[in-house]
């Protein structure tokens, strides 16, 4: 049997609450304006998070039925759906993102242990047990809650989630090894993370929350690199 989906189910639900809180803190005009992600308005972020819930819902269906139902029909389709979705009236987007999140949570709740263990394919083509779905969703709702630029910042995300996200991005960046060699040393946590890359190791210090912002390619503040300028990072996802 695949490992239990906890604690990611908890992060998924907490992340959904944070996303909706950030969304509620923004008026329709701010959502229509350019945001912190290149080429995207807040409406694009909301449309993407709503469409992601439905795409992950396809994987839940796959786990339940055994019939292959991919997240998206193609990367182009994924992009086109976000563009079309972002043009919907903001009031509709608010309802869509909340209702799609609730449907995803309900469909996950109904999975049996055997169905949780069933393998599905991520949008990147990786075979994973369905127990990965809540983690995949947690990353989306937590990080995009901050991307909205409203009432939620990295400091509001649970430290346990930050640590898990650092594990995940460290593995991904180390596998690509296309960036600088880094050691992340949080000033408020005993753990540290080493990202394999090029050149001498640069140790970066700061809060766990801001190190998470940095490694995920988001604007970060209060970080200090020992004996060097803070290295800039290639894209993460
Ligand atoms: Zn995303």
């Amino acid at each position: 049997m695949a490992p239990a989906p906890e604690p990611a189910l908890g992060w998924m639900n907490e992340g959904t609450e944070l996303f909706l809180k950030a969304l509620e803190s923004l008026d329709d005009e701010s959502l229509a304006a350019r945001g912190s992600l290149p080429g995207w308005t807040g409406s694009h972020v909301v449309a993407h998070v709503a469409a992601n819930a439905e795409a992950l819902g396809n994987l839940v269906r796959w786990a339940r039925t055994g019939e292959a139902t991919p997240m998206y029909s193609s990367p182009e389709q994924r992009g086109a759906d976000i563009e079309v979705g972002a043009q919907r009236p903001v009031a509709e987007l608010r309802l869509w993102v909340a209702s799609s999140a609730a449907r995803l949570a309900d469909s996950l709740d109904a999975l049996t242990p055997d169905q949780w263990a069933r393998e599905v394919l991520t949008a990147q083509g990786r075979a994973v047990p369905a127990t990965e779905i809540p983690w995949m969703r947690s990353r989306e709702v937590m990080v995009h809650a901050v991307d909205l630029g409203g009432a939620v910042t990295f400091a509001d995300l649970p430290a346990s989630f930050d640590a898990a996200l650092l594990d995940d991005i460290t593995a991904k960046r180390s596998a690509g090894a296309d960036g600088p060699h880094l050691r992340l040393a949080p000033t408020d946590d005993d753990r540290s993370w080493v990202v394999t890359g090029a050149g001498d190791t640069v140790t970066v210090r700061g809060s766990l929350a801001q190190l998470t912002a940095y490694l995920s390619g988001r604007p970060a503040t209060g970080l200090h690199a020992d004996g060097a300028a803070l290295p800039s990072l290639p894209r993460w996802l």
Side-chain angles (χ1 to χ4, degrees):
M1 206 178 100
E6 292 289 357
L9 268 179
W11 291 326
M12 182 184 94
N13 293 329
E14 192 173 350
T16 297
E17 278 171 29
L18 286 168
F19 188 89
L20 295 177
K21 176 183 164 188
L23 184 57
E24 215 169 283
S25 73
L26 295 164
D27 58 24
D28 290 7
E29 210 165 83
S30 332
L31 282 171
R34 290 269 166 213
S36 60
L37 295 177
W40 276 15
T41 63
S43 291
H44 284 88
V45 176
V46 178
H48 161 55
V49 169
N52 169 264
E54 295 181 347
L56 289 174
N58 289 344
L59 297 190
V60 179
R61 180 163 165 240
W62 186 339
R64 196 178 63 242
T65 64
E67 181 199 333
T69 42
M71 287 181 70
Y72 304 102
S73 50
S74 69
E76 294 71 31
Q77 189 61 48
R78 172 184 177 275
D81 286 350
I82 294 170
E83 281 303 326
V84 171
Q87 306 312 317
R88 291 168 70 168
V90 175
E92 266 182 40
L93 286 174
R94 291 178 190 274
L95 290 175
W96 183 27
V97 79
S99 61
S100 57
R103 278 196 304 276
L104 176 65
D106 287 349
S107 68
L108 284 166
D109 269 350
L111 290 182
T112 66
D114 282 354
Q115 292 168 347
W116 274 116
R118 192 168 263 153
E119 281 204 338
V120 297
L121 282 188
T122 68
Q124 289 79 34
R126 215 160 41 90
V128 297
T131 46
E132 280 274 314
I133 297 171
W135 171 245
M136 291 160 69
R137 180 64 177 168
S138 301
R139 288 188 314 208
E140 294 292 330
V141 283
M142 291 276 189
V143 176
H144 289 315
V146 178
D147 289 333
L148 280 177
V152 174
T153 70
F154 271 95
D156 297 307
L157 309 187
S160 58
F161 169 81
D162 284 345
L165 187 62
L166 284 176
D167 288 344
D168 190 332
I169 307 177
T170 293
K172 183 110 200 292
R173 288 193 179 279
S174 297
D178 56 351
H181 199 98
L182 296 172
R183 190 172 80 90
L184 303 182
T187 47
D188 52 358
D189 196 285
D190 290 341
R191 286 162 293 189
S192 65
W193 284 263
V194 173
V195 181
T196 307
D200 293 337
T201 308
V202 177
T203 297
V204 181
R205 301 175 197 278
S207 69
L208 182 69
Q210 290 305 315
L211 288 170
T212 308
Y214 170 63
L215 203 66
S216 62
R218 267 63 182 180
T221 55
L223 297 182
H224 172 81
D226 288 1
L230 190 65
S232 59
L233 297 179
R235 279 177 62 97
W236 157 48
L237 273 181

